[in-house]
Amino acid sequence: MSKIIESSDNLPHPPPLTPEQRKLITATVPILAEHGVTITTLFYKQMLEANPDLRNVFSHSKQQRGHQAEALARAVYAYAANIEDLTPILPVVERIAHKHTSVHIIPSQYAIVGKHLLEAITQVVGADVFKGDLYDAWGAAYWNLAHIFIDRERELYEAAQWVGWRDFVVAKKVKESDEITSFYLKPKDGKPLAPYRPGQYISVQKFVPELGFYQSRQYSLSDAPNAEYFRISVKREPGIRTITPSGALDTTQAAHPGWISNLLHATVEEGEAIEVAFPFGEFFLDDSSAPVVLLSAGVGLTPLLAMLNTLVKPDGPAREVSWVQAVRNERVHAFKEHVAKIKAAHPDRVRSTIFYSHPGEGARLGRDYDVEGRLELEKVPREVLRLDAKDAQYYVCGPEAFMADMIAGLKARRVDGSRIHAEVFGAGATPA
């Protein structure tokens, strides 16, 4: 278990951008709008070819599907477009910094990224254009932003119990529904775990022989903080199989975004070793005494379940809480009995409304669910939504369209945006 944090002293430290340099950066915004994805796609290709060890860091599936190139293009564009005032992008910077620390990004890797990013811009824009003062401005701009990340990531590393990867063991594997399975992960060294914030996530890492490198994925912690174990509850994504009929590992669909989740479900058993990063993430339960409303869809319930379990602990904060959940049907309704027991044990402060979009023949209205159809706020009882509590805090997690719908609906009901918190997977902005 390491606590070594790499120094950034040997990296370039340019001064703040001059007004002239900021104007040059702003002038390239139209170019980034048109060619941004072309630049970042070339960047990743050349960087990974020259530095194959970085394949252990970047998601193979997101590379194959172009998601990382698209996300980086959006980030570079946003940086250039807001170069005069970075305030609008600081929440995204914070989100990315947490993602970086969860996969152990180190300062020296920023030099590799800077080199290949400037080379890619030069190749796409043209060496006859991207030169001289313009090139120097972007070089300075890159390192100014890099040090914002490096400094914030150092703070996160310093606050963590360990840096990098720690050996854990799968102590227990529990099927929660037809799609979701929980993995209870305990430190191999038996030492107690430091507390985390309910709503945060961990990265887990496994070596994939079929790919020839490590792959990591981030999963929200689905239980209240404790000193013994981490629990992640992983959805098995449809569309592929990791085990062929002959029993061999199916690598033909290795680029599928759910490949690692399928691998966990199909091949990782109790007693197996797995590497785990310390919990990070800027989406977590606040420390106030205000009522809490938890709105989830699908596997988005996982970080909210950690919050719910924390709120009802005997030594936890005695806050009023509502659980509003969208589920497809009873076969995929994970933690149904668990939430029902919590509600029964705390009838004075825990309320819930469950939606089934496509209830099966065995589902019963009033027993398994409360409303048939998609989750619509107008169908949630006012007392469950706690709209009369002017300090209520709302936590939303699920597919992006669901979160956007919930946020818009809450704002339409005069809930201030400062009281609405959404978990965003990836580097995008919070759905508005």
Side-chain angles (χ1 to χ4, degrees), residues 133-171:
D133 291 342
L134 178 59
Y135 184 96
D136 292 342
W138 264 103
Y142 172 80
W143 280 110
N144 272 267
L145 180 60
H147 282 290
I148 292 175
F149 280 114
I150 290 169
D151 292 346
R152 178 60 181 136
E153 288 157 18
R154 170 171 287 276
E155 292 175 348
L156 293 172
Y157 285 135
E158 288 174 345
Q161 187 181 17
W162 70 89
V163 173
W165 302 102
R166 181 177 177 183
D167 292 331
F168 276 63
V169 174
V170 178

Side-chain angles (χ1 to χ4, degrees), residues 293 320-322 351 353 380-388:
V293 180
E320 293 182 333
V321 58
S322 292
R351 301 167 184 167
T353 301
V380 181
R382 187 176 182 87
E383 64 271 17
V384 175
L385 207 51
R386 303 187 187 274
L387 292 173
D388 293 328

Side-chain angles (χ1 to χ4, degrees), residues 11 25 36 53 69 77 201 209 217 264 272 374 385 402 423:
L11 297 176
I25 297 297
D53 58 307
Y77 174 87
Y201 55 80
R217 293 294 183 272
L264 286 172
E272 187 164 337
R374 62 189 296 271
L385 207 51
F402 166 81
E423 171 67 302

Side-chain angles (χ1 to χ4, degrees), residues 28 31-32 35-36 38-40 42-43 46 76 113-139:
T28 62
I31 297 174
L32 295 174
H35 301 291
T38 302
I39 291 169
T40 54
L42 179 63
F43 154 74
Q46 295 182 159
V76 172
V113 169
K115 173 181 180 295
H116 288 280
L117 182 59
L118 292 175
E119 287 180 357
I121 296 174
T122 302
Q123 290 173 257
V124 173
V125 175
D128 57 330
V129 174
F130 196 64
K131 63 180 182 178
D133 291 342
L134 178 59
Y135 184 96
D136 292 342
W138 264 103

Side-chain angles (χ1 to χ4, degrees), residues 168-237:
F168 276 63
V169 174
V170 178
K172 187 164 59 172
K173 182 178 179 180
V174 179
K175 183 177 180 179
E176 309 290 0
S177 74
D178 282 3
E179 293 181 337
I180 294 177
T181 293
S182 289
F183 297 83
Y184 290 74
L185 312 177
K186 290 188 175 183
K188 188 175 181 180
D189 59 16
K191 295 180 180 179
L193 295 167
Y196 55 88
R197 305 295 295 271
Q200 291 187 307
Y201 55 80
I202 58 171
S203 286
V204 299
Q205 177 176 260
K206 293 285 291 182
F207 183 76
V208 184
E210 292 75 18
L211 298 178
F213 43 82
Y214 285 89
Q215 285 286 272
S216 62
R217 293 294 183 272
Q218 292 151 342
Y219 295 108
S220 297
L221 291 155
S222 63
D223 204 356
N226 67 89
E228 295 183 14
Y229 64 85
F230 290 151
R231 186 180 74 181
I232 56 174
S233 301
V234 181
K235 179 183 177 183
R236 183 170 191 160
E237 300 291 351

Side-chain angles (χ1 to χ4, degrees), residues 6-25:
E6 184 181 277
S7 171
S8 62
D9 291 345
N10 61 338
L11 297 176
H13 285 73
L17 297 178
T18 65
E20 291 74 19
Q21 287 177 320
R22 292 197 298 272
K23 288 179 181 178
L24 287 170
I25 297 297

